[in-house]
Amino acid sequence: MTGKGHEETQRLLERTVAELGIPGVVAEVKDADGTWFGTAGVADLATGARRGPGEHLPIGSGGKAFTAATILTLEAEGRLDIEDPVNKWLPGVLDSGGYDGDKITIRHLLSNTGGLFATGLAPELVSGYASRARFAEHRFDVWTLDDLLRLAVSQPPVGEPGERFVYANGGYYLARAIIEKVTGNAYADEVERAVIRPLGLTATYVRPDTETGYRGPHPRAYSTQFYRDGVDPADVTSDNWESMMEEPGLEPLDVTEFNTSWETGNLISTTGDMIRFIDAMAGGGLLPPAQHREMWTTVSTEGANWLPHTRYGLGLFELDRAVTGGRTVRGVGGSYWGHLFCALGTPDGERTVAFHTNKEATGWDLLFKIVELEFGITIDA
C-alpha cells in the first residue's frame, strides 16, 4: 500500500526485507494528508501470510512511557511527587547492594539517572535466553515483581543519583511497584485508568505476567540473537562477542510464544494506537502542562552506549536538536528477541510514524532512515 509522498519509505521497507534478513516490516504514518500504511515481507514464514494493519505488537521499552505517564498523572492528582525518595514509598527496597533509597528519587528512576546498573544485561536474565537450547528451556519462565525488584539491586551502583544516564530497566520495575503502593491497585489497572482509556487506545493493554499470546491478529516473531550452545555469557566481552555468536546462516527461531514478564510494562499495542499515544506524549495532549514539562526535561545520553543522537526525558527520548537542525522529534523505541518497535512524532502533530519488524534490531539504521525520509532530517547514524 503506497500513498502520496511515501514511495521512498515503501522502497525502504522492501530493501529492509530483501537485504537485512527481516521476515516482515510494517510502518504507519499520520500526516496532513491522512494515514498511510506500508508493508513488506511476511507475518509468517511457514504460511507466507502477509503483514497488515491492526496487528497486535509488543512495544518493548515503549512501555516505559506508559509507566512514566501514569506516575506523572498520580503527581498531578496530588498523590505523589516525582522528587519523593524511593524510600518514602518502598522503604528498604533500595537499601542493599550499595544503593540508598533516601537519595534516589522517582525522577531518577524515570530518567535513568539513579545510578542503577543496566538491568537488561543482568546475567540472571540474559543467560536464560542466551542460546537456542537455553531459550527453549526458559522461554515460559515467569518473573514476578518481587523477582524483578531483587534483580534491580543484584549488582552495585554505576554512579551517584543524578550523575549520568544509564539505561536501567530496574528503575521502571521500582516505578511499577510505587504505582501499586500509592494506589493500592494493580499496575495494569492504573495504566488503563491513567493512559489507555483517556486516549481511547482500544487495542492496547498490559499483558498479564503469565500470558504469552496475543488477543488479536499478530505476526510470528523470529530471532537469531543467540550465542552458540555451550557459551557462558559471563565469558563474553566487547572484544570476543562476535566469535561467541552462533554460526551465520541458521534459520531464525520462531519466538512468538514467549513470556516477557521481565519487560518493563509488558505492553501490547498497534501502530495506530501508538501514533495516537505519541501524539499525546509529544504534544501535551494527556498530561497537565507542569507534568508535560517534567516529562520533557531531558538529560544527555552521550557515552551511554544507547540510542545515539538522543536526549532522554521521562520514559521517552528526543532526537538531539543539534543534529536535527533545531526540529523537535520525540518518541519511543524498543527491541528484544523477535521484535523491534519504534514510534516518533513532532509536538505540533504534523507527522507521526510507527513501525515494527518481526525480528530484533541489529542496529538503528532503519529508525534513522525512516526519520530522514518522513521528517526530512538527515542524521549521520
Side-chain angles (χ1 to χ4, degrees), residues 263-344:
E263 181 56 79
T264 51
N266 201 10
L267 269 104
I268 306 299
S269 191
T270 63
T271 53
D273 267 13
M274 285 302 292
I275 282 175
R276 189 174 297 114
F277 176 73
I278 292 298
D279 273 350
M281 293 300 99
L286 176 70
L287 299 171
Q291 280 68 41
H292 182 71
R293 286 193 297 271
E294 289 176 337
M295 175 169 274
W296 293 109
T297 301
T298 61
V299 297
S300 174
T301 67
E302 187 176 355
N305 194 28
W306 194 66
L307 179 60
H309 310 303
T310 56
R311 295 183 62 85
Y312 199 83
L314 303 184
L316 302 93
F317 65 80
E318 183 174 275
L319 294 182
D320 193 328
R321 296 177 198 177
V323 297
T324 65
R327 192 170 186 195
T328 301
V329 179
R330 295 167 167 170
V332 297
S335 179
Y336 61 75
W337 294 268
H339 300 280
L340 165 65
F341 188 97
C342 293
L344 306 100

Side-chain angles (χ1 to χ4, degrees), residues 19 36 54 71 73 128 188-189 194 220 254 263 285 356:
E19 300 172 8
W36 172 83
I71 288 274
T73 297
D189 292 339
R220 304 300 296 176
D254 189 320
E263 181 56 79
H356 174 269

Side-chain angles (χ1 to χ4, degrees), residues 56-339:
H56 285 211
L57 308 165
I59 63 171
S61 284
K64 290 181 172 68
F66 286 77
T67 301
T70 301
I71 288 274
L72 289 168
T73 297
L74 292 174
E75 183 185 64
E77 294 169 349
R79 302 174 73 178
L80 57 74
D81 190 305
I82 64 168
E83 305 304 340
D84 288 342
V86 173
N87 268 355
K88 178 175 180 178
W89 300 106
L90 304 175
V93 171
L94 273 183
D95 291 344
S96 63
Y99 294 96
D100 187 339
D102 287 324
K103 294 182 178 178
I104 300 172
T105 67
I106 297 174
R107 181 191 293 275
H108 289 141
L109 302 180
L110 300 182
S111 61
N112 288 298
T113 60
L116 279 74
F117 81 101
T119 328
L121 301 178
E124 299 94 322
L125 175 64
V126 176
S127 64
Y129 316 109
S131 68
R132 293 186 183 226
R134 295 282 289 171
F135 189 93
E137 182 181 355
H138 293 284
R139 67 189 297 168
F140 298 121
D141 287 358
V142 177
W143 289 77
T144 68
L145 181 55
D146 285 342
D147 293 333
L148 296 173
L149 293 178
R150 285 191 291 271
L151 186 69
V153 295
S154 61
Q155 291 186 28
V158 295
E160 291 296 318
E163 181 182 345
R164 63 191 177 100
F165 173 92
V166 175
Y167 199 67
N169 290 347
Y172 278 81
Y173 302 152
L174 289 155
R176 171 182 161 188
I178 289 171
I179 289 169
E180 295 190 345
K181 183 66 176 289
V182 169
T183 66
N185 298 324
Y187 168 80
D189 292 339
E190 282 301 306
V191 171
E192 175 82 19
R193 179 189 73 87
V195 184
I196 293 174
R197 278 204 306 269
L199 293 180
L201 308 181
T202 57
T204 302
Y205 61 95
V206 176
R207 183 156 60 179
D209 288 349
T210 56
E211 195 171 301
T212 61
Y214 299 84
R215 301 176 185 177
H218 59 276
R220 304 300 296 176
Y222 301 94
S223 181
T224 57
Q225 186 174 278
F226 302 108
Y227 298 130
R228 290 181 283 107
D229 283 335
V231 168
D232 184 345
D235 295 333
V236 179
T237 70
S238 58
D239 294 324
N240 69 10
W241 68 270
E242 288 184 283
S243 67
M244 300 291 193
M245 300 302 292
E246 65 180 12
E247 295 298 321
L250 292 178
E251 288 295 315
L253 181 69
D254 189 320
V255 296
T256 309
E257 287 75 30
F258 180 17
N259 187 294
T260 54
S261 49
W262 44 264
E263 181 56 79
T264 51
N266 201 10
L267 269 104
I268 306 299
S269 191
T270 63
T271 53
D273 267 13
M274 285 302 292
I275 282 175
R276 189 174 297 114
F277 176 73
I278 292 298
D279 273 350
M281 293 300 99
L286 176 70
L287 299 171
Q291 280 68 41
H292 182 71
R293 286 193 297 271
E294 289 176 337
M295 175 169 274
W296 293 109
T297 301
T298 61
V299 297
S300 174
T301 67
E302 187 176 355
N305 194 28
W306 194 66
L307 179 60
H309 310 303
T310 56
R311 295 183 62 85
Y312 199 83
L314 303 184
L316 302 93
F317 65 80
E318 183 174 275
L319 294 182
D320 193 328
R321 296 177 198 177
V323 297
T324 65
R327 192 170 186 195
T328 301
V329 179
R330 295 167 167 170
V332 297
S335 179
Y336 61 75
W337 294 268
H339 300 280

Side-chain angles (χ1 to χ4, degrees), residues 8-27:
E8 282 298 316
T9 301
Q10 177 62 39
R11 284 193 281 271
L12 171 64
L13 302 185
E14 292 164 2
R15 289 197 305 273
T16 296
V17 170
E19 300 172 8
L20 299 181
I22 303 285
V25 57
V26 293

